[in-house]
Amino acid sequence: MTDGPGHATYVDRALDLFADFGDREALVGGGRRITYTEAAALVRAMAAALTRHGVRPGSAVLVTVANAVEGPLLQLALHLIGCRTMWVAPVTARREVDEFLRRARPDALVYDARDPASLGPELTAALPGVPVCCLGPGGAGPDLTAATDPAGSVALPAAVRAPESFLQTSGTTGTPKLVHHTESFYAQILTLAADFRAAGFPLLRHLSHSPMWLASGQITTLFNLFTGGVLFLRDDWDPVAFVATVQRERINSTFVTPPMLYELLDHPALVGADFSAMFMFNVGAGPAAPARLRQAIARFGPVLRIVYGLSEAVVITALPGLIDDPEHPQRLRSCGRPYGDVRIEIRDDDGTVLPPGRDGEVWVHTRLSFAGYHGQPELTAQTLVDGWVRTRDIGHLDDDGFLYLVDRAHDMIVTHRRNWAIFCRPIEDALAGHPQVRAAAVIGVPDETVGEVPYAYVVTAPDATVTEAELIDLVTAELNEMWAPAGVEFVDRLPVNRSVKVDKRALRAQYAARGAAAVGT
């Protein structure tokens, strides 16, 4: 336990677990292999170093770190002090950074100085006078990975605050939101891990591509550490490296998105590869095609586990031991049943609970839900209602309690192998900023490689000379490559509905009809 008169946190309990796990391996990544004994020492040393450099209980610490092996230990160190961690994704669009800083109001900054694409230098410049620490040498602050604390304890101030985290997400307009998770969220992860250990499941050797700035990355990382398993961290997705790691390290647990799964299934590296150690092959963050799931079941066996969750309610449903059941073929489209203490209701627009088989909005009640959106009380009140989370997803339950999602209520594009969410409005605003553009509308269209990509319809001035390539370059410069439209179609006008709003349903139908016509030629 941590010395001193401060409030004992979930981290103190975690460090006791680490002491019990001893010299068992805990973390592997970036060329490092860290035992639980070493992990506990580094958590305490990082906490001491952060305290020496001005970080205090209650400090709001902005963290921009991808999937570094020290990232989970940094989170534990900051929470040991009693900080509020605020994680910003390294892929955050450039125009969102200022809004994020305005909303977060950080008291300190930690970034990975070893990452050449890090936002750290930009954020350092935008936060003059704010204490800065780094993972790795050569940054604007001291290297926390080299921290040592010979005494083996941290002298904390008496008024230690309960730790909490704010994790970045986005709303329908693309405006950054900070999803607030309190210490009770992390204490619940400890409880789930204890239940897992008590059930006698094998120790996990989990290969993770989910960084800590994602809510799914937080629960995946900490759950695996709290069960005493080995967490293998990779920042990049590469099927060849994935297969090699699974075989070399006898990986028995992992998580992939549908595009990652598809790429893996289609890659020659999978031919003859040994996946016999696999115990739990999680698939989530987007819908997976039943045909591809059947291929995965045939290749890996009944170890696939479909999961569904949000930043606001991290684990909602799970469908373990997925099989191609001829008696229930529709279940390959299901997200599974409620996980743990989760309760699910399907409600109509008036809040009335709907019977099985009827589509409506998915409402969720769970102890793993968020506490609100930082600095956005009205949005919090709209989303968190009497302890229930409105997911804004549309779906239904069947008679056996399986959940089926049929649509997303938000105008969101899920893209990239890692299933990152991007939104139409920032792209439309960037396009409309060109002096020759009169109007723009963006939709998500299917893509075999990354799931979905943006596609733009643009109305230009009569004498416009702007080209498709120029507009794509404009979006790339203002946001980044992930947000750039896969195509730009110039039209005379945008369709509108009876409310005189752009009718994106008509645009999607227009795009689909064009594709169908192309197939028929």
Side-chain angles (χ1 to χ4, degrees), residues 231-508:
L231 185 66
F232 296 81
L233 295 173
R234 285 193 64 90
D235 190 37
D236 58 324
W237 164 252
D238 174 40
V240 175
F242 177 86
V243 170
T245 303
V246 166
Q247 295 185 110
R248 182 182 66 252
E249 301 289 355
R250 302 297 291 168
I251 298 297
N252 64 5
S253 174
T254 192
F255 173 88
V256 298
T257 65
M260 293 163 70
L261 176 64
Y262 303 162
E263 188 171 354
L264 178 64
L265 290 171
D266 295 336
H267 203 282
L270 189 61
V271 176
D274 182 7
F275 274 65
S276 61
M278 193 62 65
F279 164 68
M280 191 164 53
F281 198 118
N282 298 282
V283 181
R292 303 314 305 265
L293 288 177
R294 290 187 182 96
Q295 294 175 19
I297 293 167
R299 177 60 181 84
F300 303 118
V303 297
L304 267 70
R305 178 173 179 261
I306 304 300
V307 292
Y308 162 58
L310 309 169
S311 295
E312 293 86 348
V314 183
V315 183
I316 297 174
T317 61
L319 182 55
L322 189 64
I323 61 172
D324 188 8
D325 185 354
E327 294 186 11
H328 303 283
Q330 75 281 4
R331 289 197 181 150
L332 287 181
R333 298 185 182 275
S334 171
C335 305
R337 286 172 162 153
Y339 177 85
D341 75 324
V342 173
R343 287 185 285 157
I344 296 175
E345 291 183 350
I346 307 298
R347 304 187 189 184
D348 64 14
D349 292 341
D350 296 325
T352 301
V353 178
L354 299 173
R358 289 277 304 278
D359 285 335
E361 184 178 349
V362 181
W363 289 57
V364 175
H365 191 285
T366 172
R367 283 176 290 182
L368 280 172
S369 68
F370 78 137
Y373 297 110
H374 180 59
Q376 295 178 287
E378 292 184 2
L379 183 59
T380 297
Q382 294 168 11
T383 307
L384 194 58
V385 181
D386 297 327
W388 287 81
V389 177
R390 299 187 60 178
T391 69
R392 316 293 181 179
D393 287 332
I394 307 302
H396 64 267
L397 292 167
D398 68 12
D399 290 330
D400 296 314
F402 287 83
L403 176 66
Y404 297 79
L405 297 181
V406 297
D407 200 1
R408 288 186 297 271
H410 295 318
D411 188 12
M412 179 175 69
I413 299 170
V414 180
T415 191
H416 200 275
R417 297 182 183 90
R418 307 273 281 281
N419 272 35
W420 286 321
I422 63 175
F423 297 88
C424 299
R425 177 67 182 275
I427 304 173
E428 292 165 350
D429 288 348
L431 292 167
H434 193 285
Q436 296 180 7
V437 171
R438 292 292 177 262
V442 173
I443 61 172
V445 299
D447 181 89
E448 293 182 355
T449 303
V450 296
E452 290 181 303
V453 291
Y455 188 88
Y457 290 89
V458 172
V459 180
T460 61
D463 298 324
T465 58
V466 65
T467 66
E468 177 185 36
E470 288 173 342
L471 290 177
I472 292 173
D473 288 343
L474 172 66
V475 175
T476 301
E478 189 161 340
L479 300 172
N480 62 38
E481 293 81 359
M482 188 170 62
W483 299 65
V488 175
E489 188 169 336
F490 295 98
V491 296
D492 294 331
R493 62 182 180 84
L494 297 174
V496 296
N497 58 23
R498 283 177 291 184
S499 300
V500 199
K501 296 180 180 179
V502 174
D503 189 349
K504 292 194 175 181
R505 180 177 297 179
L507 289 176
R508 292 187 184 99

Side-chain angles (χ1 to χ4, degrees), residues 62 78 102 130 147 165 247 296 351 429 447:
L62 189 64
L78 288 166
R102 184 190 70 78
V130 167
S165 289
Q247 295 185 110
D429 288 348
D447 181 89

Side-chain angles (χ1 to χ4, degrees), residues 73-92:
L73 307 182
L74 171 63
Q75 166 96 329
L76 293 174
L78 288 166
H79 277 180
L80 181 62
I81 298 170
C83 294
R84 294 176 289 152
T85 60
M86 295 180 162
W87 290 77
V88 58
V91 295
T92 301

